[in-house]
Amino acid sequence: MNMRKGKLEMILLNGVSGFNGPDQVTDGDYFKKICYSLIHTLNGNVLSFSEPKVARHYYEVKVNVLEENLSILLNNVYPFIAFASSVDYGYIEFVDNELLLNGFSPYYRVLCSNELNEPLVIKESKGRITVENENELNDAEVYNIKYWKSKTVGDIVFNYWD
């Protein structure tokens, strides 16, 4: 469970989906080092490390820590991390892990399951859709939300769009 207090910062920033956003990417080598160090400190094992690919706009590190298999996800554009018990094409089961939250929060913004599972509020009028959730999404992202039928904030931040 997330113990942060106060108003949460916006997640749906311009380009968070990997489409037409700022000319920046997160540092995968730095992420890899932090993962190996933190998981080792917790007496866990890193099982695999996957970089973003054409249709997946995030890093995925599969770990076994405290006898639990989890995936640690890092957005390719912004330093947003999430934890998942299951990652399948088009569906991610986001989970919270207080121990990992505490370990990663000095380096990244750890997104909690309630933030990522927040339903998208989409309005369509005269053939144009808008996302009513607080956002700075660009037109290409809004188009892809409609095309891929995204349902939650997590569907955008950690997507399989190509």
Side-chain angles (χ1 to χ4, degrees):
M1 188 166 140
N2 183 1
M3 299 299 182
R4 289 180 283 189
K5 293 182 170 67
K7 185 178 184 304
L8 295 174
E9 295 173 33
M10 185 183 328
I11 297 170
L12 297 177
L13 300 171
N14 178 41
V16 72
S17 72
F19 281 85
N20 293 358
D23 191 20
Q24 67 185 37
V25 292
T26 50
D27 185 340
D29 291 334
Y30 183 66
F31 175 57
K32 189 175 190 177
K33 287 176 189 172
I34 291 171
C35 286
Y36 274 90
S37 176
L38 179 61
I39 298 305
H40 176 73
T41 300
L42 297 172
N43 296 318
N45 294 305
V46 173
L47 307 175
S48 67
F49 180 88
S50 302
E51 295 193 4
K53 351 180 200 190
V54 171
R56 192 186 77 214
H57 299 279
Y58 57 88
Y59 292 87
E60 179 182 8
V61 178
K62 293 183 181 181
V63 300
N64 179 279
V65 63
L66 303 174
E67 300 181 17
E68 186 176 11
N69 287 330
L70 292 171
S71 289
I72 303 166
L73 311 177
L74 171 66
N75 182 275
N76 191 35
V77 179
Y78 292 99
F80 294 161
I81 281 197
F83 311 122
S85 59
S86 173
V87 178
D88 293 311
Y89 178 81
Y91 179 75
I92 300 173
E93 180 70 35
F94 295 107
V95 296
D96 298 317
N97 184 301
E98 194 70 27
L99 196 58
L100 292 177
L101 171 102
N102 291 334
F104 280 102
S105 60
Y107 310 100
Y108 299 99
R109 174 151 177 231
V110 179
L111 303 177
C112 297
S113 61
N114 64 334
E115 295 174 284
L116 293 162
N117 292 324
E118 178 185 329
L120 291 177
V121 179
I122 298 171
K123 303 285 185 197
E124 189 163 357
S125 175
K126 299 177 184 171
R128 179 163 169 79
I129 71 162
T130 56
V131 176
E132 299 292 308
N133 307 65
E134 184 179 10
N135 76 86
E136 296 175 351
L137 299 170
N138 62 59
D139 290 343
E141 292 175 299
V142 173
Y143 169 83
N144 277 289
I145 289 167
K146 181 178 180 180
Y147 182 83
W148 293 102
K149 299 175 175 58
S150 301
K151 304 279 187 232
T152 66
V153 168
D155 290 346
I156 299 168
V157 179
F158 301 102
N159 69 68
Y160 278 90
W161 304 342
D162 58 13

